[in-house]
Amino acid sequence: MSQRTLVLLKPDTVRRGLVGEVLSRIEAKAGWSIVAMELRTLDRSTLETHYAEHEGRPFYAPLMEFMASGPSVALVVEGERVIEGVRTLAGPTDPIAAAPGSVRGDFGTIVRENLIHASDSEESAEREIKIFFPEGDAAVS
Ligand code: IDP
Ligand code: MG
């Protein structure tokens, strides 16, 4: 089942020079392809919309600050079961709990700076792709 998912390489990934490393893992998966991509410092309103479900949580304010602290790479990836697949490739939220071999498990230590965001369902993917690529050419068809 071909799908599209929204991926963010967070500011820590860009600052640490790990963009190529993470992109190469995505590109190496058979049949997956990057269909939109942009380097961009995310503004407050984009982040508020994206992370609306977490408003009020104790980690929300520092998360917003971190996510606005430098450029991120936003991309849309298309391919077979890509929503579940990029979540697996990323690993669980806490990088210390994430297995070696996953992006978070290989490169992260603290929960906030966990390198990558990936949509967690078809509904989230559709919603999030529209936030970052409103022009429509990357939208789920
Ligand atoms: P996810 O990115 O694995 O889907 P979510 O629970 O949706 O995780 O949380 C969104 C982001 O908020 C995480 O990727 C991480 O950067 C940050 N975050 C989540 N929980 C915590 C926490 O307990 N402390 C600090 N940051 C957190
Ligand atoms: Mg999430």
Side-chain angles (χ1 to χ4, degrees), residues 7-34:
V7 177
L8 299 175
L9 308 184
K10 296 181 179 185
D12 53 334
T13 300
V14 176
R15 265 197 291 275
R16 292 172 62 196
L18 293 170
V19 169
E21 171 70 42
V22 179
L23 287 180
S24 71
R25 294 177 182 212
I26 292 171
E27 286 191 298
K29 291 288 278 184
W32 288 5
S33 53
I34 295 166

Side-chain angles (χ1 to χ4, degrees), residues 4-134:
R4 287 185 172 192
T5 193
L6 186 276
V7 177
L8 299 175
L9 308 184
K10 296 181 179 185
D12 53 334
T13 300
V14 176
R15 265 197 291 275
R16 292 172 62 196
L18 293 170
V19 169
E21 171 70 42
V22 179
L23 287 180
S24 71
R25 294 177 182 212
I26 292 171
E27 286 191 298
K29 291 288 278 184
W32 288 5
S33 53
I34 295 166
V35 297
M37 182 160 68
E38 191 185 354
L39 179 77
R40 187 196 312 175
T41 300
L42 303 176
D43 60 59
R44 191 96 202 159
S45 87
T46 300
L47 287 168
E48 280 170 6
T49 307
H50 178 63
Y51 280 128
E53 65 175 309
H54 295 308
E55 202 192 339
R57 303 242 167 96
F59 62 80
Y60 180 77
L63 172 65
M64 301 298 266
E65 186 147 331
F66 162 61
M67 290 298 295
S69 68
S72 293
V73 175
L75 60 149
V76 176
V77 187
E78 181 177 82
E80 182 69 17
R81 295 176 65 201
V82 73
I83 296 172
E84 180 188 355
V86 181
R87 296 281 294 186
T88 300
L89 187 149
T93 310
D94 176 357
I96 297 296
S102 65
V103 170
R104 288 164 168 173
D106 282 350
F107 302 115
T109 47
I110 67 171
V111 177
R112 182 172 52 249
E113 302 192 12
N114 61 1
L115 297 116
I116 183 169
H117 165 87
S119 306
D120 63 8
S121 66
E122 287 187 34
E123 298 68 40
S124 301
E126 192 175 346
R127 187 184 79 86
E128 293 171 0
I129 288 168
K130 282 198 200 115
I131 298 169
F132 291 90
F133 297 96

